Amino acid sequence: MVKILGIAGSPRQNGNTSLLLEEALKGARSAGATINKIVVCNRDINPCLGCGWCRKSGTCQQEDAMEKVYNLTLTSHGIILAAPIYFNSLNAQTKALIDRHQCVWARKELLKEEITDPRTRHARRGLFLSTAGADDPRVFDGALKVVELFFQVLDVKYFQRLLFFRMEEKGAVKNHPTALKDAFAAGEQMVVEIMRSLGETVD
Ligand SMILES: Cc1cc2nc3c(=O)[nH]c(=O)nc-3n(C[C@H](O)[C@H](O)[C@H](O)COP(=O)(O)O)c2cc1C
């Protein structure tokens, strides 16, 4: 069974990126995946303290909701990250969740440990969904660099990104001619690709 993790990064409930994520998860489910979802703002996730503990231990000293998050980000076959642009980057809550993967980076790069299952690693895929208010597609440049590294650290290959600008108002994404359909299709297609990659039969 293909396991997909949806990460809803925005503090605005039912906002643009949450709507896109819901559609992508519906698409993933329709292709036969099981779904887990993290609503970042409903979880107790502290920012990284930069204490350096993880450089030797490979683990984080802080005790909060991240333990469950690591379990999901490291074992899911696909990750769908949905987050808005704040000040030309990801919003702070999403960035905190990403920064807290420094211990995963340390395990992999400093301690040379396997962080993901070598039998299924090749099939891991990531989808990034984002919206921004500005009338300028370059507004995503900073966030794209962050997500690229997040996926790379997690042994996740980029499947696709769906970025919609001119989306200031809550729900604006519903007025876009294709955004929600695109998100559904991306979720569905990502699962199909993961299944293919895992060597399963797809109709
Ligand atoms: C604190 C804050 C900072 C923002 N910064 C930017 C920005 O730098 N560039 C931009 O285009 N939009 C910016 N926006 C607008 C959001 O990216 C936009 O409304 C987005 O669609 C929100 O997604 P959501 O509904 O999923 O939260 C900002 C919004 C907030 C609240």
Side-chain angles (χ1 to χ4, degrees), residues 10-12 14-18 83-89 131-136 139 164-165 167-171:
S10 178
R12 185 152 73 167
N14 304 315
N16 295 318
T17 51
S18 302
I85 298 303
Y86 280 11
F87 276 78
N88 283 351
S89 185
T131 61
D135 186 10
D136 183 353
V139 76
F164 300 97
F165 57 104
M167 296 286 159
E168 184 71 42
E169 300 303 322
K170 185 173 178 177

Side-chain angles (χ1 to χ4, degrees), residues 4-161:
I4 298 294
L5 172 64
I7 302 175
S10 178
R12 185 152 73 167
Q13 303 295 300
N14 304 315
N16 295 318
T17 51
S18 302
L19 291 168
L20 289 172
L21 179 63
E22 279 316 301
E23 289 306 306
L25 292 177
K26 273 187 214 161
R29 207 177 279 118
S30 79
T34 57
I35 308 296
N36 285 293
K37 185 174 152 189
I38 295 168
V39 180
V40 177
C41 292
N42 292 347
R43 305 252 179 154
D44 171 31
I45 297 175
N46 300 316
C48 174
L49 300 172
C51 67
W53 170 271
C54 64
R55 297 178 69 86
K56 287 197 175 137
S57 68
T59 60
C60 185
Q61 244 182 337
Q62 299 195 64
E63 290 179 7
D64 59 10
M66 280 304 293
E67 204 48 52
K68 283 184 185 151
V69 175
Y70 296 132
N71 190 33
L72 289 168
T73 53
L74 293 173
T75 65
S76 301
H77 301 101
I79 296 179
I80 306 179
L81 174 65
I85 298 303
Y86 280 11
F87 276 78
N88 283 351
S89 185
L90 294 173
N91 67 295
Q93 295 91 338
T94 305
K95 186 61 165 51
L97 179 148
I98 291 175
D99 289 352
R100 287 290 300 286
H101 282 75
Q102 180 70 358
C103 57
V104 174
W105 175 85
R107 241 153 74 198
K108 184 172 158 176
E109 301 298 338
L110 302 180
L111 307 175
K112 306 293 177 198
E113 289 176 14
E114 306 254 30
I115 55 143
T116 50
D117 185 343
R119 293 164 304 174
T120 54
R121 184 180 297 150
H122 65 281
R124 284 164 64 78
R125 294 289 183 277
L127 169 63
F128 176 45
L129 308 171
S130 189
T131 61
D135 186 10
D136 183 353
R138 288 173 305 177
V139 76
F140 299 105
D141 289 355
L144 285 172
K145 298 292 281 181
V146 177
V147 176
E148 192 185 310
L149 184 56
F150 180 47
F151 285 169
Q152 187 190 311
V153 167
L154 286 174
D155 297 335
V156 161
K157 270 193 211 124
Y158 231 119
F159 173 70
Q160 204 179 321
R161 58 200 193 201

